[in-house]
Amino acid sequence: PNPSTVHQPHTRSYHVGDVMAMRVRVARNVPFRRAACGVIRRCASTVQNDTKETQERIPPLLTGREIRNKFLEFFEQRGHRRLPSSSLVPEDPTVLLTIAGMLQFKPIFLGQMPRQFPRVTTTQKCIRTKDIENVGVTARHHTFFEMLGNFSFGDYFKREAIELAWELSTEIFCLPKERLWISVFREDDEAYDIWKDAVGVSESRIIRMGEEDNYWVSGPTGPCGPCSELYYDMHPERGMDGVDLDDGSRFIEFYNLVFMESNRLSDGKMVPLQNKNIDTGMGLERMAQILQRVPNNYETDLIFPIVSKAAELAGVDYKACNSKTKVSLKVIGDHIRAAVYLISDGVNASNVGRGYILRRLIRRVVRSGRLIGIQNENCFTPSLAAEAIKLSGDCDPTVQEKEYQILEELEKEEERFSNTLDRGEKLLEEFLEKSKATSGTLSGKDAFLLYDTYGFPLEITQDAAAEQNVSVDVPGFELEMAKQRRQSRAARQEVDLTKQASLAKGAESLGSKLFVGDHELE
């Protein structure tokens, strides 16, 4: 980000010039220097005002690339082997996409595969679409994100994991200790005591939380364990009373330490793992928001170049945009990133599984672009993807090698959707106007017509309806879908293949199956 426009969330308002001047003073003050990652760079531990009162130290302004490198180098220097990110298409058949850094190590955690190294560190590409409707709306929801992680396979456990996390956060990234809050699982007295006694965190800033917040599971079955999370307080001036760590306007949860010690079986029974392991995750985008002093992840240097390109194509100024336009720009920035990495890992747009997720992401980009006025005669998604590809090198160097395939797939899918969008948007607008004038709900029958005839995924229709405060009759939509499936079955049963013996034999060998990939995932 441009330093002159950096947002300062601290209690004291610092000008960027103060930060740069502090760096100069620090460079001249040997006791405050620290050799970190081979580079002598240290933030000032304190700043004193004219009355000699101690002031809060300021973390360094770091780029996303610098944050990534500092994290990986920190753990390499402490005996961790750096490994590359695994594909977004996991080998694990229980999940559709890679959702966490630990996924590639799941067989090691379960004792199904011997460890090659006792401790490793990675930056992992991840995709999560569960909260896709929150993308662009909240400050930190994404579909694609990078998870920085350090892992121990039966080597170190709670104490060292906690002490490493604290050292990294306070000594390398120079986060003020008084701004850090800790959560632990309500029954994990050991972790609580380590934070309090070994690290020295005040009990007033260690919060016990329940299973929903502080017990990590990889899925219905598999490795799991209690976790401890580190939060950054953006507004300490709000005081200590009634603190809610889930308050996103005040706290950023940026580092999660999972103490992997159990395996959940299909019957829900918990059995101890062969070894006690460590699985951690630091959200790169979240740490970038903290260190770059910006109000949300989208305005970090990891995503904002894409957002800026979209604003340029739409002929708008991001800073001057209203909140609705900013949401569309953020959706574009997030989803294009996700689409680029999915295509790079071999996913093509389709109506089933991972392909459906990719198609949905691309179509949300196209529609968001139209909403903010992008009216290119040619497809616009390739030019946005080119920005994402430029930013991909340190996360996954192979993305740039696949640029042609990525841009080709995006152009093809955008053209396909634009053709139906032109025809369907006018009808959708008519349906929405009718709904606003009557019940305030778009009927399931109309939603299904848009889906079946014009290729509008239900989610796209819901997005458009929500923008005009109209709800969608989802049960009615599902009823229409079920009706179509029944008709398909009946039609299939009425077809007489006995007159064509060879075709009948082929049908027998394939079996009788109804295709439902256009509306169901795996």
Side-chain angles (χ1 to χ4, degrees):
N2 184 341
S4 66
T5 61
V6 166
H7 171 74
Q8 299 287 349
H10 299 305
T11 307
R12 175 184 170 187
S13 179
Y14 294 105
H15 188 272
V16 172
D18 297 333
V19 177
M20 299 308 176
M22 182 179 295
R23 286 181 172 177
V24 173
R25 293 197 297 273
V26 169
R28 294 171 180 168
N29 195 347
V30 175
F32 285 115
R33 293 187 302 185
R34 177 183 178 87
C37 311
V39 179
I40 298 178
R41 188 173 184 181
R42 177 75 163 124
C43 65
S45 62
T46 59
V47 181
Q48 293 187 337
N49 62 16
D50 293 337
T51 61
K52 304 298 182 182
E53 293 179 352
T54 300
Q55 298 295 315
E56 179 181 84
R57 65 179 181 176
I58 310 173
L61 291 165
L62 297 178
T63 66
R65 182 178 188 179
E66 288 173 323
I67 295 168
R68 185 192 294 112
N69 288 340
K70 281 184 176 291
F71 182 99
L72 296 172
E73 289 171 0
F74 173 83
F75 285 103
E76 279 186 305
Q77 292 170 357
R78 287 152 182 80
H80 294 66
R81 175 63 67 97
R82 184 192 299 204
L83 296 180
S85 171
S86 62
S87 171
L88 286 171
V89 180
E91 295 181 5
D92 186 340
T94 66
V95 291
L96 196 64
L97 293 166
T98 297
I99 59 171
M102 60 75 61
L103 207 60
Q104 64 172 308
F105 305 119
K106 190 174 174 181
I108 301 175
F109 288 138
L110 292 173
Q112 300 167 348
M113 181 185 295
R115 69 184 191 185
Q116 290 182 292
F117 312 101
R119 48 178 73 182
V120 303
T121 184
T122 66
T123 178
Q124 175 63 52
K125 302 172 293 185
C126 298
I127 293 267
R128 295 180 190 172
T129 58
K130 180 181 178 182
D131 299 319
I132 193 171
E133 70 279 358
N134 289 325
V135 170
V137 178
T138 70
R140 289 174 286 280
H141 272 96
H142 297 291
T143 55
F144 176 87
F145 58 95
E146 273 189 72
M147 189 65 77
L148 302 168
N150 57 288
F151 305 87
S152 166
F153 310 120
D155 186 11
Y156 61 85
F157 200 49
K158 289 185 184 179
R159 176 159 183 153
E160 189 169 353
I162 287 172
E163 290 176 341
L164 285 170
W166 188 254
E167 181 184 2
L168 175 68
S169 300
T170 61
E171 300 299 322
I172 302 303
F173 293 131
C174 300
L175 299 181
K177 295 178 182 180
E178 60 273 18
R179 282 181 178 263
L180 298 183
W181 289 66
I182 308 298
S183 71
V184 298
F185 182 51
R186 61 173 175 246
E187 299 169 15
D188 194 348
D189 294 332
E190 181 185 3
Y192 187 99
D193 290 340
I194 293 170
W195 282 114
K196 177 174 67 74
D197 300 328
V199 176
V201 177
S202 168
E203 287 189 82
S204 62
R205 288 188 287 111
I206 308 174
I207 309 296
R208 293 182 186 268
M209 300 179 77
E211 187 170 344
E212 183 177 344
D213 295 295
N214 278 75
Y215 197 91
W216 196 90
V217 296
S218 59
T221 62
C224 53
C227 64
S228 181
E229 296 173 321
L230 284 76
Y231 292 78
Y232 183 77
D233 188 353
M234 296 180 290
H235 294 287
E237 73 277 7
R238 295 183 186 176
M240 306 285 285
D241 296 334
V243 165
D244 178 9
L245 294 181
D246 289 328
D247 179 1
S249 70
R250 175 173 178 177
F251 294 102
I252 301 177
E253 184 258 298
F254 66 92
Y255 205 176
N256 187 15
L257 317 178
V258 181
F259 311 124
M260 201 79 75
E261 56 189 14
S262 302
N263 181 25
R264 177 178 286 174
L265 305 180
S266 57
D267 61 0
K269 183 180 179 182
M270 294 284 198
V271 296
L273 291 171
Q274 182 178 338
N275 295 305
K276 290 186 175 182
N277 309 294
I278 289 296
D279 157 31
T280 80
M282 174 183 284
L284 176 61
E285 293 82 3
R286 296 187 179 200
M287 183 55 82
Q289 180 191 343
I290 294 170
L291 294 180
Q292 294 174 15
R293 329 268 209 273
V294 291
N296 57 71
N297 292 0
Y298 300 94
E299 294 182 38
T300 67
D301 66 344
L302 297 163
I303 305 174
F304 198 66
I306 309 170
V307 173
S308 295
K309 182 64 177 179
E312 176 190 325
L313 293 175
V316 298
D317 178 2
Y318 176 82
K319 292 180 184 177
C321 287
N322 59 36
S323 59
K324 184 176 179 180
T325 300
K326 283 186 176 179
V327 167
S328 293
L329 288 167
K330 292 171 185 175
V331 167
I332 291 170
D334 172 87
H335 288 8
I336 276 291
R337 268 179 107 205
V340 162
Y341 284 96
L342 280 169
I343 298 168
S344 176
D345 279 345
V347 179
N348 292 318
S350 70
N351 283 334
V352 65
R354 302 176 186 99
Y356 176 76
I357 291 174
L358 175 60
R359 172 161 287 170
R360 183 182 177 192
L361 290 168
I362 297 172
R363 291 187 171 190
R364 280 172 62 94
V365 169
V366 174
R367 187 172 179 279
S368 295
R370 291 207 176 190
L371 284 174
I372 61 175
I374 299 179
Q375 299 291 345
N376 281 21
E377 292 183 7
N378 300 318
C379 294
F380 68 88
T381 53
S383 60
L384 296 172
E387 294 296 323
I389 292 170
K390 289 177 189 175
L391 300 169
S392 68
D394 292 308
C395 175
D396 181 358
T398 66
V399 171
Q400 295 179 358
E401 299 169 7
K402 301 171 184 175
E403 181 170 9
Y404 177 79
Q405 298 98 300
I406 294 169
L407 302 186
E408 184 180 45
E409 176 70 12
L410 284 167
E411 183 173 2
K412 181 174 67 176
E413 184 61 20
E414 182 180 347
E415 286 180 346
R416 181 185 292 118
F417 184 50
S418 293
N419 291 335
T420 57
L421 198 59
D422 288 335
R423 297 191 299 270
E425 272 188 332
K426 188 176 293 186
L427 185 59
L428 172 60
E429 198 59 40
E430 291 176 8
F431 286 160
L432 291 174
E433 288 299 323
K434 180 180 70 175
S435 301
K436 285 192 290 186
T438 54
S439 64
T441 300
L442 192 148
S443 73
K445 189 172 183 178
D446 287 344
F448 184 75
L449 175 65
L450 289 165
Y451 164 80
D452 192 44
T453 305
Y454 296 97
F456 275 57
L458 176 62
E459 298 84 6
I460 294 289
T461 300
Q462 288 175 306
D463 286 346
E467 288 161 6
Q468 299 193 35
N469 296 317
V470 173
S471 61
V472 177
D473 177 16
V474 177
F477 174 88
E478 292 171 346
L479 191 66
E480 293 295 322
M481 183 73 75
K483 187 188 301 183
Q484 186 196 58
R485 293 169 70 182
R486 287 196 300 271
Q487 291 171 347
S488 296
R489 290 192 188 97
R492 186 181 67 232
Q493 291 167 357
E494 290 170 4
V495 174
D496 184 2
L497 296 178
T498 58
K499 294 181 181 179
Q500 300 179 32
S502 60
L503 186 57
K505 288 179 181 178
E508 286 178 3
S509 66
L510 290 173
S512 176
K513 248 186 177 179
L514 173 66
F515 175 71
V516 294
D518 54 349
H519 50 80
E520 291 185 2
L521 300 183
E522 293 176 341

